[in-house]
Amino acid sequence: MELLNFIGGEWIEDASLQTMPVINPANGEQLGTIPLSTKSQVELAAKKAKEAQRSWALVPAPKRADYLYEIAFKLKEKKEQLAQTLTKEMGKVIEEARGEVQEGIDMALYMAAEGRRLFGETVPSELPNKFAMSVRAPIGVAGLITPWNFPIAIATWKAFPALVAGNTVVWKPSNETPFMAYELAKIFEEAGLPPGVVNIVFGSGPTVGTAIVEHPDIRIISFTGSTTTGSKVAELGGKHLKKVSLEMGGKNAVIVMDDANLDLALEGILWSAFGTAGQRCTACSRVIVHKDVKQELEQRLVEAAKQLTVGNGLDPAIKVGPVINKAALEKINHYVQIGKQQGANLLLGGEILTDGDLANGHYFAPTIFTDVEATSILAQEEIFGPVISIIEVSSLEEAIEVNNNVKFGLSSSIFSQDVNKIFKAQQLLDTGIVYVNAGTTGAEIHLPFGGTKGTGNGHRDSGQAALDVYTEWKSIYVDYSGKLQRAQIDNNA
Ligand code: NAD
């Protein structure tokens, strides 16, 4: 199927554009093509979005929200079909794909409810017969740039708060996962969203992404992806004085203390490390374990990870699907080789899987290293695959130090039954998300989502915090005294 750009409410055919294939990572099947757009498609999308924004901002927020309710109902109706398509283009197992679509539904309902809140503040003025308030105002056109690992959830985390707040959108999805963008666009159309309110431009990051970041009419950029790309976006966006919200890489850790419930820790680690084949931004990539329980935990982890079935995620018996493409497979393998060379002890996996049908897709074996140095490359860099490094520590203080001593700060977790340790840890772990007695994944959409240090630049997706990304504060003073009243002067004479 040939996917087209969606601009100004129309599917734009343009035979002059080159196309690129979209491949199912589970079996190499070609699912369709996308156009490799140029700067001129971004310019058209920005123009349509700017034109649409004037009237969209004047639609009362509760009425804008009605579109989101409609979108939520349509997402719900199509949940299974969307989940199947998501698994085909991205690879995650079907149960997780259903969960991701549900995240989109939850976000639509949550942000729709914001249409009747969007709270501002009223405060007393320091002068008589004067009223003071602050309201949230839309910024204008929002440029959204999204990755492939959560192709529907992340798009909804960004688009829905942007829309309910009165912005319009130019969105560049990842080339690996354009079908979710296509499906969402169809839903927007069916929900009757006015033309130009959401525009989708497919194409390469350096061409389409750069054109979005540079475009003078796109005033807010919301990016999720790798820290390398995010830094470029921040640099260019900064040069053009834009608001830039960045959600980037992670190197998340589960801490297992000597008093932990090991059954629970085991489940939490397996789910966080090998779910989505380790390609969640919040994936557990390090296990920081107290020396007294290390041997038992690693033995049990290896036994449990051996049972994980690897294959096409459409089969409900499969627990670990493919990784996104050949380049990802090679990158993961590269890190595994470095780990071996640097003396980490490989307990399980460590190889590309090519048996039978697996040869047609991109599969990496669930991999466990132990005795990993906390400062080694394996324990420091984002691998984005089903690979964990076990690091031994002797105390809670050392565990926290190891957790924090990486350049990223997205998610961390601690397993312990000691309330004192737990409260100390939640205070000192320097990540944007902390889990207690649960793995590093499992965010709920009504809480802020994002990270510190190399993971972000202080903004958050999701929750109320997302509204801060897509709105400006406007302070309004209404003087009904009928005379000039000077603040700081007339009331202090
Ligand atoms: P990526 O950085 O390669 O690409 C992200 C998006 O940026 C894509 O749409 C890509 O086409 C675009 N892009 C590429 N070059 C660009 C440029 N020069 N200018 C503008 N846009 C450009 O990331 P990816 O491989 O798609 O996704 C995986 C990464 O995303 C991982 O690092 C993961 O941790 C991160 N991620 C973070 C979060 C979070 O919330 N913190 C969530 C999901 C994924």
Side-chain angles (χ1 to χ4, degrees):
M1 180 179 188
E2 199 180 321
L3 300 184
L4 302 174
N5 290 326
F6 182 66
I7 301 177
E10 289 176 28
W11 299 94
I12 310 276
E13 280 207 67
D14 188 339
S16 71
L17 295 179
Q18 290 186 330
T19 59
M20 179 183 169
V22 185
I23 305 294
N24 181 338
N27 56 19
E29 171 201 6
Q30 180 168 331
L31 300 170
T33 61
I34 53 161
L36 287 174
S37 309
T38 63
K39 197 173 170 180
S40 42
Q41 281 73 48
V42 173
E43 280 170 353
L44 180 63
K47 180 169 175 281
K48 295 288 179 187
K50 190 178 177 187
E51 284 166 8
Q53 202 265 331
R54 291 191 193 105
S55 40
W56 181 243
L58 295 177
V59 175
K63 292 290 149 199
R64 290 197 294 260
D66 284 348
Y67 290 99
L68 292 187
Y69 282 120
E70 194 58 29
I71 290 165
F73 299 141
K74 295 209 174 292
L75 283 168
K76 212 166 178 178
E77 252 170 49
K78 295 187 178 184
K79 182 173 172 181
E80 186 56 29
Q81 177 220 322
L82 290 168
Q84 301 265 339
T85 308
L86 171 46
T87 292
K88 278 189 199 155
E89 72 170 350
M90 188 275 157
K92 67 178 61 174
V93 301
I94 188 68
E95 190 185 19
E96 291 180 43
R98 289 186 190 117
E100 185 181 336
V101 178
Q102 186 60 44
E103 212 167 322
I105 298 168
D106 294 345
M107 196 61 179
L109 292 173
Y110 177 70
M111 281 300 161
E114 273 313 309
R116 288 189 183 268
R117 286 190 289 262
L118 281 179
F119 291 137
E121 278 184 330
T122 59
V123 290
S125 165
E126 65 185 42
L127 289 157
N129 298 320
K130 190 175 173 190
F131 189 84
M133 62 186 161
S134 57
V135 297
R136 286 186 184 275
I139 297 175
V141 180
L144 314 183
I145 302 175
T146 54
W148 48 264
N149 67 335
F150 281 88
I152 194 158
I154 291 177
T156 65
W157 290 358
K158 296 182 187 302
F160 295 165
L163 294 179
V164 81
N167 303 277
T168 54
V169 163
V170 175
W171 171 27
K172 190 206 102 56
S174 167
N175 291 342
E176 309 287 347
T177 51
F179 276 90
M180 281 300 101
Y182 167 74
E183 294 291 346
L184 269 177
K186 279 202 313 191
I187 287 175
F188 295 156
E189 251 189 328
E190 289 166 18
L193 204 64
V197 169
V198 176
N199 305 274
I200 299 173
V201 183
F202 296 112
S204 87
T207 305
V208 172
T210 301
I212 288 176
V213 179
E214 279 181 334
H215 198 288
D217 290 334
I218 301 178
R219 297 308 311 159
I220 148 81
I221 304 295
S222 179
F223 168 89
T224 298
S226 63
T227 300
T228 310
T229 312
S231 306
K232 289 183 197 159
V233 168
E235 198 177 331
L236 192 58
K239 192 173 142 204
H240 292 273
L241 297 180
K242 298 207 178 171
K243 186 171 187 181
V244 179
S245 166
L246 303 170
E247 298 297 343
M248 302 175 286
K251 189 70 186 177
N252 315 293
V254 168
I255 296 172
V256 183
M257 293 311 299
D258 47 351
D259 61 359
N261 174 336
L262 287 192
D263 295 339
L264 202 58
L266 192 68
E267 281 186 314
I269 294 166
L270 286 174
W271 168 239
S272 306
F274 301 122
T276 320
Q279 303 168 106
R280 296 179 183 128
C281 47
T282 54
C284 163
S285 178
R286 299 177 295 156
V287 175
I288 302 170
V289 59
H290 192 278
K291 61 180 174 26
D292 292 352
V293 289
K294 172 176 176 266
Q295 206 181 5
E296 183 183 348
L297 183 77
E298 68 191 19
Q299 275 171 2
R300 292 183 62 185
L301 257 179
V302 169
E303 284 316 307
K306 271 187 195 162
Q307 310 305 318
L308 293 171
T309 44
V310 180
N312 188 330
L314 283 180
D315 176 349
I318 293 296
K319 295 289 178 216
V320 181
V323 299
I324 190 69
N325 54 29
K326 190 156 182 276
L329 205 56
E330 284 167 0
K331 181 180 162 199
I332 297 163
N333 201 33
H334 169 73
Y335 278 115
V336 166
Q337 299 317 317
I338 290 180
K340 287 188 202 164
Q341 283 157 17
Q342 294 197 335
N345 182 1
L346 181 65
L347 294 179
L348 185 73
E351 55 181 354
I352 295 171
L353 298 175
T354 53
D355 280 356
D357 286 349
L358 297 186
N360 300 323
H362 309 298
Y363 296 94
F364 204 89
T367 296
I368 302 176
F369 278 103
T370 192
D371 303 322
V372 178
E373 286 292 329
T375 53
S376 66
I377 290 173
L378 201 58
Q380 289 286 318
E381 294 189 10
E382 186 180 46
I383 299 172
F384 229 50
V387 179
I388 45 176
S389 298
I390 299 176
I391 302 166
E392 180 183 305
V393 291
S394 307
S395 64
L396 178 66
E397 289 69 22
E398 190 184 353
I400 292 169
E401 170 69 23
V402 168
N403 177 82
N404 292 354
N405 190 20
V406 289
K407 64 183 175 208
F408 304 104
L410 185 54
S411 181
S412 56
S413 133
I414 176 163
F415 284 87
S416 167
Q417 302 196 66
D418 179 339
V419 69
N420 297 330
K421 284 183 188 148
I422 288 168
F423 268 81
K424 189 167 181 186
Q426 63 80 20
Q427 187 182 15
L428 296 177
L429 292 167
D430 70 356
T431 51
I433 306 168
V434 175
Y435 290 91
V436 175
N437 291 327
T440 52
T441 68
E444 300 180 28
I445 59 95
H446 49 300
L447 276 77
F449 184 94
T452 62
K453 303 189 290 188
T455 297
N457 63 342
H459 296 283
R460 292 289 184 269
D461 275 339
S462 217
Q464 288 290 299
L467 294 172
D468 293 335
V469 174
Y470 301 99
T471 55
E472 303 263 23
W473 282 112
K474 184 182 280 186
S475 299
I476 303 167
Y477 302 94
V478 182
D479 190 323
Y480 53 96
S481 67
K483 60 182 181 192
L484 172 68
Q485 296 198 92
R486 297 171 302 172
Q488 293 93 37
I489 298 173
D490 290 336
N491 52 351
N492 284 307

Short mmCIF file of all heavy atoms in Angstrom, two decimals, residues 390-442:
data_model
loop_
_atom_site.label_atom_id
_atom_site.label_comp_id
_atom_site.label_asym_id
_atom_site.label_seq_id
_atom_site.Cartn_x
_atom_site.Cartn_y
_atom_site.Cartn_z
N ILE A 390 24.24 -7.21 34.73
CA ILE A 390 24.09 -7.32 36.19
C ILE A 390 25.33 -6.72 36.85
O ILE A 390 26.47 -7.06 36.50
CB ILE A 390 23.89 -8.78 36.61
CG1 ILE A 390 22.60 -9.33 35.97
CG2 ILE A 390 23.84 -8.92 38.13
CD1 ILE A 390 22.33 -10.81 36.23
N ILE A 391 25.09 -5.81 37.79
CA ILE A 391 26.18 -5.10 38.47
C ILE A 391 26.04 -5.36 39.97
O ILE A 391 24.96 -5.13 40.53
CB ILE A 391 26.08 -3.58 38.19
CG1 ILE A 391 26.13 -3.31 36.68
CG2 ILE A 391 27.17 -2.81 38.93
CD1 ILE A 391 25.71 -1.91 36.28
N GLU A 392 27.10 -5.81 40.60
CA GLU A 392 27.02 -6.13 42.04
C GLU A 392 27.33 -4.90 42.88
O GLU A 392 28.26 -4.15 42.57
CB GLU A 392 28.03 -7.24 42.35
CG GLU A 392 28.03 -7.64 43.80
CD GLU A 392 29.10 -8.70 44.11
OE1 GLU A 392 29.11 -9.76 43.45
OE2 GLU A 392 29.92 -8.42 45.00
N VAL A 393 26.56 -4.72 43.97
CA VAL A 393 26.85 -3.65 44.93
C VAL A 393 26.74 -4.21 46.36
O VAL A 393 26.21 -5.29 46.57
CB VAL A 393 25.88 -2.45 44.78
CG1 VAL A 393 26.11 -1.71 43.49
CG2 VAL A 393 24.42 -2.89 44.92
N SER A 394 27.25 -3.41 47.33
CA SER A 394 27.26 -3.88 48.72
C SER A 394 26.31 -3.12 49.63
O SER A 394 26.17 -3.48 50.80
CB SER A 394 28.67 -3.74 49.30
OG SER A 394 29.59 -4.36 48.46
N SER A 395 25.72 -2.04 49.14
CA SER A 395 24.86 -1.24 50.02
C SER A 395 23.86 -0.45 49.18
O SER A 395 24.04 -0.31 47.95
CB SER A 395 25.70 -0.25 50.81
OG SER A 395 26.29 0.67 49.91
N LEU A 396 22.87 0.10 49.87
CA LEU A 396 21.89 0.96 49.18
C LEU A 396 22.59 2.20 48.62
O LEU A 396 22.31 2.62 47.49
CB LEU A 396 20.78 1.38 50.16
CG LEU A 396 19.74 2.31 49.56
CD1 LEU A 396 18.92 1.61 48.47
CD2 LEU A 396 18.80 2.86 50.64
N GLU A 397 23.50 2.75 49.41
CA GLU A 397 24.19 3.98 48.96
C GLU A 397 24.93 3.70 47.65
O GLU A 397 24.90 4.50 46.71
CB GLU A 397 25.20 4.46 50.03
CG GLU A 397 24.56 5.05 51.28
CD GLU A 397 23.83 4.02 52.15
OE1 GLU A 397 24.13 2.81 52.05
OE2 GLU A 397 22.92 4.43 52.91
N GLU A 398 25.61 2.55 47.60
CA GLU A 398 26.36 2.23 46.38
C GLU A 398 25.39 1.99 45.21
O GLU A 398 25.65 2.41 44.08
CB GLU A 398 27.23 0.98 46.62
CG GLU A 398 28.20 0.74 45.48
CD GLU A 398 29.00 -0.56 45.65
OE1 GLU A 398 28.90 -1.22 46.71
OE2 GLU A 398 29.72 -0.92 44.68
N ALA A 399 24.26 1.35 45.49
CA ALA A 399 23.27 1.09 44.43
C ALA A 399 22.78 2.41 43.83
O ALA A 399 22.68 2.55 42.61
CB ALA A 399 22.09 0.29 44.99
N ILE A 400 22.50 3.36 44.69
CA ILE A 400 21.99 4.66 44.21
C ILE A 400 23.08 5.37 43.40
O ILE A 400 22.82 5.94 42.33
CB ILE A 400 21.51 5.52 45.40
CG1 ILE A 400 20.25 4.88 46.00
CG2 ILE A 400 21.24 6.97 44.98
CD1 ILE A 400 19.81 5.46 47.34
N GLU A 401 24.31 5.29 43.91
CA GLU A 401 25.44 5.92 43.21
C GLU A 401 25.60 5.32 41.80
O GLU A 401 25.75 6.04 40.81
CB GLU A 401 26.70 5.67 44.07
CG GLU A 401 28.03 6.01 43.45
CD GLU A 401 28.23 7.50 43.29
OE1 GLU A 401 27.56 8.25 44.01
OE2 GLU A 401 29.02 7.88 42.39
N VAL A 402 25.51 3.99 41.72
CA VAL A 402 25.65 3.33 40.41
C VAL A 402 24.49 3.71 39.51
O VAL A 402 24.66 4.03 38.33
CB VAL A 402 25.73 1.78 40.58
CG1 VAL A 402 25.59 1.08 39.25
CG2 VAL A 402 27.04 1.40 41.25
N ASN A 403 23.29 3.70 40.07
CA ASN A 403 22.12 4.08 39.26
C ASN A 403 22.31 5.47 38.66
O ASN A 403 22.04 5.69 37.47
CB ASN A 403 20.84 4.08 40.11
CG ASN A 403 19.65 4.54 39.28
OD1 ASN A 403 19.07 3.77 38.54
ND2 ASN A 403 19.32 5.82 39.34
N ASN A 404 22.76 6.41 39.49
CA ASN A 404 22.82 7.81 39.05
C ASN A 404 24.02 8.12 38.16
O ASN A 404 24.01 9.13 37.46
CB ASN A 404 22.88 8.74 40.27
CG ASN A 404 21.58 8.71 41.07
OD1 ASN A 404 20.60 8.09 40.65
ND2 ASN A 404 21.57 9.36 42.22
N ASN A 405 25.00 7.25 38.17
CA ASN A 405 26.25 7.54 37.46
C ASN A 405 26.18 7.15 35.99
O ASN A 405 27.01 6.39 35.48
CB ASN A 405 27.41 6.84 38.17
CG ASN A 405 28.73 7.30 37.63
OD1 ASN A 405 28.83 8.37 37.01
ND2 ASN A 405 29.77 6.49 37.82
N VAL A 406 25.16 7.62 35.30
CA VAL A 406 25.05 7.47 33.84
C VAL A 406 24.59 8.82 33.29
O VAL A 406 24.09 9.66 34.04
CB VAL A 406 24.04 6.37 33.41
CG1 VAL A 406 24.55 4.98 33.71
CG2 VAL A 406 22.68 6.59 34.05
N LYS A 407 24.72 8.98 31.97
CA LYS A 407 24.36 10.31 31.44
C LYS A 407 22.86 10.49 31.26
O LYS A 407 22.40 11.60 31.02
CB LYS A 407 25.11 10.58 30.13
CG LYS A 407 24.76 9.67 28.99
CD LYS A 407 25.63 9.97 27.76
CE LYS A 407 25.34 8.97 26.67
NZ LYS A 407 26.40 8.71 25.76
N PHE A 408 22.08 9.40 31.37
CA PHE A 408 20.63 9.48 31.19
C PHE A 408 19.91 9.53 32.54
O PHE A 408 20.50 9.23 33.58
CB PHE A 408 20.13 8.27 30.42
CG PHE A 408 20.79 8.07 29.09
CD1 PHE A 408 21.75 7.09 28.91
CD2 PHE A 408 20.45 8.88 28.01
CE1 PHE A 408 22.37 6.91 27.68
CE2 PHE A 408 21.05 8.70 26.77
CZ PHE A 408 22.02 7.72 26.62
N GLY A 409 18.61 9.84 32.52
CA GLY A 409 17.85 9.88 33.78
C GLY A 409 16.37 9.66 33.59
O GLY A 409 15.57 10.45 34.06
N LEU A 410 16.01 8.57 32.90
CA LEU A 410 14.57 8.39 32.63
C LEU A 410 13.85 7.64 33.76
O LEU A 410 13.03 8.19 34.45
CB LEU A 410 14.36 7.68 31.28
CG LEU A 410 12.90 7.54 30.84
CD1 LEU A 410 12.17 8.87 30.84
CD2 LEU A 410 12.81 6.90 29.46
N SER A 411 14.19 6.36 33.93
CA SER A 411 13.41 5.55 34.87
C SER A 411 14.33 4.71 35.74
O SER A 411 15.39 4.26 35.29
CB SER A 411 12.48 4.63 34.06
OG SER A 411 11.69 3.85 34.90
N SER A 412 13.91 4.49 37.00
CA SER A 412 14.67 3.58 37.87
C SER A 412 13.67 2.84 38.74
O SER A 412 12.51 3.24 38.84
CB SER A 412 15.66 4.36 38.74
OG SER A 412 14.97 5.33 39.49
N SER A 413 14.16 1.76 39.36
CA SER A 413 13.25 0.96 40.17
C SER A 413 14.02 0.34 41.33
O SER A 413 15.21 0.07 41.21
CB SER A 413 12.63 -0.13 39.26
OG SER A 413 12.67 -1.39 39.85
N ILE A 414 13.32 0.17 42.45
CA ILE A 414 13.95 -0.50 43.58
C ILE A 414 13.01 -1.57 44.14
O ILE A 414 11.82 -1.31 44.33
CB ILE A 414 14.38 0.50 44.69
CG1 ILE A 414 14.96 -0.28 45.88
CG2 ILE A 414 13.27 1.44 45.13
CD1 ILE A 414 15.78 0.55 46.84
N PHE A 415 13.58 -2.75 44.34
CA PHE A 415 12.86 -3.81 45.03
C PHE A 415 13.43 -3.95 46.43
O PHE A 415 14.62 -4.25 46.59
CB PHE A 415 12.99 -5.14 44.27
CG PHE A 415 12.11 -5.20 43.04
CD1 PHE A 415 12.56 -4.71 41.82
CD2 PHE A 415 10.83 -5.73 43.10
CE1 PHE A 415 11.76 -4.74 40.70
CE2 PHE A 415 10.01 -5.77 41.98
CZ PHE A 415 10.48 -5.27 40.78
N SER A 416 12.59 -3.71 47.43
CA SER A 416 12.99 -3.82 48.83
C SER A 416 11.71 -3.90 49.64
O SER A 416 10.65 -3.47 49.18
CB SER A 416 13.80 -2.59 49.25
OG SER A 416 13.93 -2.56 50.66
N GLN A 417 11.82 -4.46 50.85
CA GLN A 417 10.62 -4.49 51.71
C GLN A 417 10.81 -3.57 52.90
O GLN A 417 10.02 -3.61 53.86
CB GLN A 417 10.35 -5.92 52.15
CG GLN A 417 10.18 -6.80 50.92
CD GLN A 417 9.55 -8.12 51.21
OE1 GLN A 417 8.39 -8.20 51.60
NE2 GLN A 417 10.34 -9.17 51.06
N ASP A 418 11.85 -2.76 52.85
CA ASP A 418 12.20 -1.88 53.96
C ASP A 418 11.76 -0.46 53.61
O ASP A 418 12.32 0.17 52.70
CB ASP A 418 13.71 -1.96 54.17
CG ASP A 418 14.19 -1.06 55.30
OD1 ASP A 418 13.48 -0.11 55.64
OD2 ASP A 418 15.30 -1.31 55.80
N VAL A 419 10.78 0.04 54.32
CA VAL A 419 10.22 1.36 54.00
C VAL A 419 11.28 2.46 54.09
O VAL A 419 11.26 3.43 53.33
CB VAL A 419 8.98 1.65 54.90
CG1 VAL A 419 9.37 1.86 56.34
CG2 VAL A 419 8.20 2.83 54.37
N ASN A 420 12.22 2.29 54.98
CA ASN A 420 13.27 3.33 55.11
C ASN A 420 14.14 3.38 53.86
O ASN A 420 14.47 4.45 53.35
CB ASN A 420 14.13 3.06 56.35
CG ASN A 420 13.31 3.12 57.62
OD1 ASN A 420 12.33 3.86 57.68
ND2 ASN A 420 13.67 2.33 58.61
N LYS A 421 14.51 2.21 53.38
CA LYS A 421 15.34 2.16 52.16
C LYS A 421 14.56 2.74 50.98
O LYS A 421 15.09 3.47 50.15
CB LYS A 421 15.74 0.71 51.84
CG LYS A 421 16.84 0.18 52.73
CD LYS A 421 17.22 -1.23 52.29
CE LYS A 421 18.18 -1.83 53.30
NZ LYS A 421 18.04 -3.26 53.42
N ILE A 422 13.29 2.38 50.91
CA ILE A 422 12.47 2.81 49.76
C ILE A 422 12.35 4.33 49.73
O ILE A 422 12.55 4.96 48.69
CB ILE A 422 11.08 2.14 49.84
CG1 ILE A 422 11.21 0.65 49.51
CG2 ILE A 422 10.10 2.81 48.89
CD1 ILE A 422 9.98 -0.17 49.82
N PHE A 423 12.06 4.93 50.89
CA PHE A 423 11.88 6.39 50.88
C PHE A 423 13.20 7.11 50.63
O PHE A 423 13.24 8.13 49.95
CB PHE A 423 11.21 6.85 52.18
CG PHE A 423 9.72 6.90 52.03
CD1 PHE A 423 8.96 5.75 52.15
CD2 PHE A 423 9.08 8.08 51.70
CE1 PHE A 423 7.59 5.77 51.96
CE2 PHE A 423 7.70 8.12 51.51
CZ PHE A 423 6.95 6.96 51.63
N LYS A 424 14.27 6.56 51.15
CA LYS A 424 15.58 7.17 50.89
C LYS A 424 15.88 7.11 49.39
O LYS A 424 16.31 8.09 48.77
CB LYS A 424 16.65 6.41 51.67
CG LYS A 424 17.98 7.07 51.66
CD LYS A 424 18.89 6.45 52.70
CE LYS A 424 20.23 7.15 52.68
NZ LYS A 424 21.20 6.53 53.55
N ALA A 425 15.60 5.93 48.81
CA ALA A 425 15.91 5.74 47.38
C ALA A 425 15.07 6.66 46.51
O ALA A 425 15.60 7.34 45.62
CB ALA A 425 15.68 4.29 46.99
N GLN A 426 13.75 6.74 46.76
CA GLN A 426 12.92 7.56 45.87
C GLN A 426 13.35 9.02 45.92
O GLN A 426 13.18 9.76 44.97
CB GLN A 426 11.43 7.36 46.14
CG GLN A 426 10.89 7.75 47.50
CD GLN A 426 10.66 9.23 47.67
OE1 GLN A 426 10.53 9.95 46.70
NE2 GLN A 426 10.64 9.70 48.90
N GLN A 427 13.96 9.41 47.05
CA GLN A 427 14.43 10.80 47.15
C GLN A 427 15.74 10.99 46.38
O GLN A 427 15.95 12.03 45.75
CB GLN A 427 14.64 11.14 48.62
CG GLN A 427 14.97 12.59 48.84
CD GLN A 427 15.21 12.89 50.31
OE1 GLN A 427 15.40 11.99 51.13
NE2 GLN A 427 15.21 14.16 50.64
N LEU A 428 16.61 9.99 46.41
CA LEU A 428 17.96 10.20 45.87
C LEU A 428 18.15 9.71 44.44
O LEU A 428 19.11 10.10 43.77
CB LEU A 428 18.99 9.51 46.78
CG LEU A 428 19.06 10.09 48.20
CD1 LEU A 428 20.05 9.31 49.05
CD2 LEU A 428 19.46 11.57 48.17
N LEU A 429 17.27 8.84 43.94
CA LEU A 429 17.42 8.37 42.55
C LEU A 429 17.13 9.55 41.63
O LEU A 429 16.09 10.21 41.77
CB LEU A 429 16.46 7.21 42.27
CG LEU A 429 16.80 5.92 43.02
CD1 LEU A 429 15.65 4.91 42.96
CD2 LEU A 429 18.09 5.30 42.49
N ASP A 430 18.05 9.84 40.71
CA ASP A 430 17.92 11.11 39.97
C ASP A 430 17.25 10.94 38.61
O ASP A 430 17.62 11.56 37.63
CB ASP A 430 19.30 11.78 39.82
CG ASP A 430 20.19 11.01 38.87
OD1 ASP A 430 19.80 9.93 38.39
OD2 ASP A 430 21.31 11.51 38.59
N THR A 431 16.20 10.10 38.57
CA THR A 431 15.47 9.87 37.32
C THR A 431 14.11 10.57 37.37
O THR A 431 13.61 10.86 38.46
CB THR A 431 15.26 8.36 37.11
OG1 THR A 431 14.69 7.82 38.31
CG2 THR A 431 16.55 7.65 36.81
N GLY A 432 13.52 10.79 36.20
CA GLY A 432 12.20 11.44 36.16
C GLY A 432 11.08 10.52 36.63
O GLY A 432 10.00 10.99 36.97
N ILE A 433 11.33 9.22 36.60
CA ILE A 433 10.33 8.23 37.01
C ILE A 433 11.00 7.23 37.95
O ILE A 433 12.11 6.76 37.66
CB ILE A 433 9.76 7.47 35.79
CG1 ILE A 433 9.23 8.45 34.74
CG2 ILE A 433 8.65 6.50 36.21
CD1 ILE A 433 8.93 7.82 33.39
N VAL A 434 10.35 6.91 39.06
CA VAL A 434 10.89 5.92 40.02
C VAL A 434 9.77 4.92 40.32
O VAL A 434 8.65 5.30 40.61
CB VAL A 434 11.33 6.60 41.34
CG1 VAL A 434 11.75 5.54 42.36
CG2 VAL A 434 12.45 7.60 41.11
N TYR A 435 10.10 3.65 40.23
CA TYR A 435 9.14 2.60 40.59
C TYR A 435 9.61 1.90 41.85
O TYR A 435 10.82 1.65 42.02
CB TYR A 435 9.04 1.54 39.48
CG TYR A 435 8.36 2.04 38.22
CD1 TYR A 435 9.10 2.60 37.19
CD2 TYR A 435 6.98 1.93 38.07
CE1 TYR A 435 8.49 3.05 36.04
CE2 TYR A 435 6.35 2.38 36.91
CZ TYR A 435 7.11 2.94 35.90
OH TYR A 435 6.49 3.39 34.76
N VAL A 436 8.67 1.55 42.70
CA VAL A 436 8.99 0.79 43.91
C VAL A 436 8.29 -0.56 43.81
O VAL A 436 7.07 -0.62 43.60
CB VAL A 436 8.51 1.55 45.17
CG1 VAL A 436 8.73 0.70 46.41
CG2 VAL A 436 9.23 2.89 45.28
N ASN A 437 9.08 -1.61 43.92
CA ASN A 437 8.57 -2.98 43.80
C ASN A 437 7.81 -3.22 42.51
O ASN A 437 6.77 -3.90 42.48
CB ASN A 437 7.74 -3.35 45.04
CG ASN A 437 8.63 -3.48 46.25
OD1 ASN A 437 9.80 -3.88 46.14
ND2 ASN A 437 8.14 -3.11 47.41
N ALA A 438 8.31 -2.62 41.45
CA ALA A 438 7.81 -2.84 40.08
C ALA A 438 9.00 -2.56 39.16
O ALA A 438 9.95 -1.87 39.57
CB ALA A 438 6.66 -1.92 39.77
N GLY A 439 8.94 -3.08 37.93
CA GLY A 439 10.07 -2.87 37.00
C GLY A 439 10.15 -1.41 36.55
O GLY A 439 9.47 -0.54 37.11
N THR A 440 10.96 -1.14 35.54
CA THR A 440 11.18 0.26 35.13
C THR A 440 10.16 0.76 34.13
O THR A 440 10.27 1.90 33.66
CB THR A 440 12.58 0.41 34.50
OG1 THR A 440 12.72 -0.59 33.48
CG2 THR A 440 13.68 0.29 35.52
N THR A 441 9.19 -0.07 33.76
CA THR A 441 8.21 0.36 32.76
C THR A 441 6.80 0.29 33.33
O THR A 441 6.56 -0.41 34.30
CB THR A 441 8.25 -0.54 31.51
OG1 THR A 441 7.76 -1.83 31.89
CG2 THR A 441 9.62 -0.68 30.95
N GLY A 442 5.89 1.03 32.70
CA GLY A 442 4.49 0.93 33.15
C GLY A 442 3.88 2.28 33.45
O GLY A 442 3.02 2.40 34.33
#
